[in-house]
């Protein structure tokens, strides 16, 4: 009961934080409409959110490998919300980039520590990690709806109202951290030697996650505008497409945890990327309402491997779980944001459909990289008793 409650609260907190990751993409059409940004300029906002986040997450992960910092969960949640809340108040592009970057740092600080805490709370369970990831996916899915509800009938001046999920997320962090701080009977600190790390496999996995990140970030940045074009300029079509892209991740994460209980995680990831190749092709090429089905399939195909790749990374680097989480959740994911401005420039010089076409190759590259990966046989935390947050001291 204590484990289930902890995972549930962590999932809710994760949802509140990831609203702000999804909010960046959801705000793009409003920035374009109200400030006449070009595709390239608008995609720079996504870059600001992802660049600092991608660099900062491994740094925060390395810190959490040395010291437990559970206080980061509520503090970083508030930071992520405040940045987005302030992003629409100034017409200055520089200040907009700054506030979005502040939100990105908050998101970066949250994920490595929360992944470590979720692994501890779930006692190394793939299913528990998938439910934790589900919370984030729900937050992503809710982001366009929340942004549309707050700003859709007003203007960017309403962005301060977007701080409310952060307040809720910070509040639910407190009881779960108190529960995990209580020592459990028989709990002991277990140190995994560096020799247990499989660095080569971790690097290949990270490259596969980079390819996944490129296609997902590219689609999340431009899917609203692409769907509007495919549906004769309907703004509702853009909101629905972005919602489906994020909502399919909720289904994919739970399905991934279920499949990992029956098959090897690496095998599940391979088949998911094969599905994604066909689905992404459909998103870009299929006309009319069928594009929404392709968006949903793309989301599921890209999110089935998501939580599995987090636990794979932790199992490949069992002595550095925080670093592994920071890389798989941060650095590799953030690199996708670096590609968005290139897609924006290409869309400005050609068409948006032409600019998105190269994304079809990304899940294929992920599949090729995963073909050579082994399934870890001795994950670091499946054989060791989880360590209480309060018990961790300076290394």
């Amino acid at each position: 009961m204590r484990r289930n409650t902890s995972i549930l609260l962590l999932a809710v907190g994760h949802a509140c934080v990831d609203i702000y990751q999804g909010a960046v993409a959801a705000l793009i059409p409003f920035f374009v409409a109200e400030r006449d940004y070009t595709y390239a300029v608008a995609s720079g906002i996504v870059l600001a959110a992802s660049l600092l986040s991608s660099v900062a997450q491994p740094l925060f992960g390395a810190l959490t490998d040395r010291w437990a910092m559970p206080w980061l969960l509520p503090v970083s949640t508030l930071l992520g919300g405040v940045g987005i809340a302030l992003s629409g108040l100034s017409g200055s592009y520089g200040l907009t980039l700054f506030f979005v970057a502040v939100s990105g740092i908050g998101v970066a600080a949250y994920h490595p520590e929360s992944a470590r805490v979720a692994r501890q709370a779930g006692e190394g369970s793939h299913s528990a990690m998938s439910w934790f990831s589900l919370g984030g996916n729900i937050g992503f899915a809710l982001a366009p709806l929340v942004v549309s509800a707050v700003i859709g009938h007003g203007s960017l001046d309403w962005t301060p109202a977007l701080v409310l999920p952060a307040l809720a997320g910070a509040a639910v962090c407190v009881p779960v951290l108190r529960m995990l701080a209580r020592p459990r009977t028989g709990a002991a600190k277990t140190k995994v030697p560096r020799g247990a790390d499989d660095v080569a496999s971790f690097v290949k996995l990270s490259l596969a996650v980079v390819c996944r990140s490129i296609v997902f970030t590219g689609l999340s940045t431009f899917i609203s505008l692409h769907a509007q074009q495919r549906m004769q300029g309907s703004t509702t079509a853009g909101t629905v497409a972005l919602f489906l892209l994020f909502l399919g991740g909720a289904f994919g994460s739970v399905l991934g945890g279920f499949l990992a209980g029956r098959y090897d995680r690496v095998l599940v990831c391979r088949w998911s990327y094969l599905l994604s190749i066909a689905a992404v092709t459909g998103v870009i090429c299929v006309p009319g309402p069928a594009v929404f089905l392709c968006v949903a399939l793309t989301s599921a195909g890209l999110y089935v491997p998501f939580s599995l790749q987090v636990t794979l990374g932790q199992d490949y680097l069992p002595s550095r779980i925080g670093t592994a989480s920071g890389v798989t959740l941060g650095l590799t994911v953030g690199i996708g944001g670096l590609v968005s401005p290139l897609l924006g420039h290409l869309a400005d010089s050609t068409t948006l459909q032409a600019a998105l076409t190269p994304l079809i190759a990304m899940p294929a590259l992920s599949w090729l990289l995963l073909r050579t990966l082994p399934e870890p046989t001795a994950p670091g935390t499946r054989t060791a008793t989880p360590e209480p947050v309060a018990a961790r001291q300076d290394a």
Side-chain angles (χ1 to χ4, degrees), residues 112-139:
E113 180 67 359
S114 66
R116 183 193 67 79
V117 171
R119 185 178 176 92
Q120 173 194 329
E123 301 175 1
S125 164
H126 303 319
S127 177
M129 186 62 75
S130 72
W131 284 105
F132 169 71
S133 298
L134 171 64
N137 299 333
I138 291 175

Side-chain angles (χ1 to χ4, degrees), residues 26 69 140 174 273 344 375:
M69 294 188 288
F140 260 108
V174 177
Y273 284 126
E375 177 72 19

Side-chain angles (χ1 to χ4, degrees), residues 287-335:
V291 71
F292 297 122
L293 174 62
C294 294
V295 169
L297 290 175
T298 295
S299 180
L302 292 176
Y303 264 103
V304 163
F306 187 74
S307 65
L308 306 186
Q309 288 169 159
V310 174
T311 60
L312 279 171
Q314 293 173 336
D315 289 345
Y316 287 139
L317 292 185
S319 74
R320 290 171 283 181
I321 288 176
T323 300
S325 302
V327 171
T328 54
L329 288 170
L331 182 61
T332 52
V333 173
I335 288 175

Side-chain angles (χ1 to χ4, degrees), residues 264-290:
D264 287 349
R265 287 168 290 175
V266 174
L267 181 63
V268 173
C269 292
R270 289 175 190 159
W271 281 104
S272 297
Y273 284 126
L274 285 176
L275 169 65
S276 298
I277 297 171
V280 173
T281 302
V283 169
I284 297 169
C285 301
V286 171

Side-chain angles (χ1 to χ4, degrees), residues 88-332:
L89 295 185
S90 172
S92 165
Y93 185 66
L95 282 177
T96 300
L97 291 179
F98 172 76
F99 289 129
V100 170
V102 168
S103 178
I105 291 175
V107 171
Y110 175 85
H111 280 95
E113 180 67 359
S114 66
R116 183 193 67 79
V117 171
R119 185 178 176 92
Q120 173 194 329
E123 301 175 1
S125 164
H126 303 319
S127 177
M129 186 62 75
S130 72
W131 284 105
F132 169 71
S133 298
L134 171 64
N137 299 333
I138 291 175
F140 260 108
L142 290 176
L145 301 182
V146 172
V147 169
S148 181
V150 172
I151 301 175
H153 300 289
S155 70
L156 290 170
D157 292 337
W158 284 87
T159 55
L162 294 175
V163 78
L164 294 177
L167 298 177
V172 300
C173 287
V174 177
V176 68
L177 295 180
R178 286 177 177 171
M179 280 189 284
L180 294 177
R182 298 169 192 158
R184 303 181 188 182
T185 304
K189 187 172 182 175
T190 303
K191 186 174 180 61
V192 180
R194 288 289 179 94
D197 294 342
D198 184 352
V199 177
S201 293
F202 180 76
V203 170
K204 290 179 183 179
L205 175 70
S206 298
L207 291 174
V209 180
V210 166
C211 295
R212 177 209 172 273
S213 170
I214 290 173
V215 64
F216 184 81
T217 306
L219 288 177
S220 65
T221 302
F222 295 111
I223 192 65
S224 291
L225 298 171
H226 176 68
Q228 288 177 23
Q229 293 179 4
R230 306 301 272 181
M231 297 297 292
Q232 293 75 48
S234 169
T235 56
T236 301
T239 299
V240 171
L242 190 60
F243 174 70
L244 288 174
L245 182 65
F246 294 161
L247 181 64
F251 171 77
S253 290
V254 175
L255 179 60
F258 171 77
L259 293 175
R262 294 173 172 265
Y263 310 100
D264 287 349
R265 287 168 290 175
V266 174
L267 181 63
V268 173
C269 292
R270 289 175 190 159
W271 281 104
S272 297
Y273 284 126
L274 285 176
L275 169 65
S276 298
I277 297 171
V280 173
T281 302
V283 169
I284 297 169
C285 301
V286 171
V291 71
F292 297 122
L293 174 62
C294 294
V295 169
L297 290 175
T298 295
S299 180
L302 292 176
Y303 264 103
V304 163
F306 187 74
S307 65
L308 306 186
Q309 288 169 159
V310 174
T311 60
L312 279 171
Q314 293 173 336
D315 289 345
Y316 287 139
L317 292 185
S319 74
R320 290 171 283 181
I321 288 176
T323 300
S325 302
V327 171
T328 54
L329 288 170
L331 182 61
T332 52

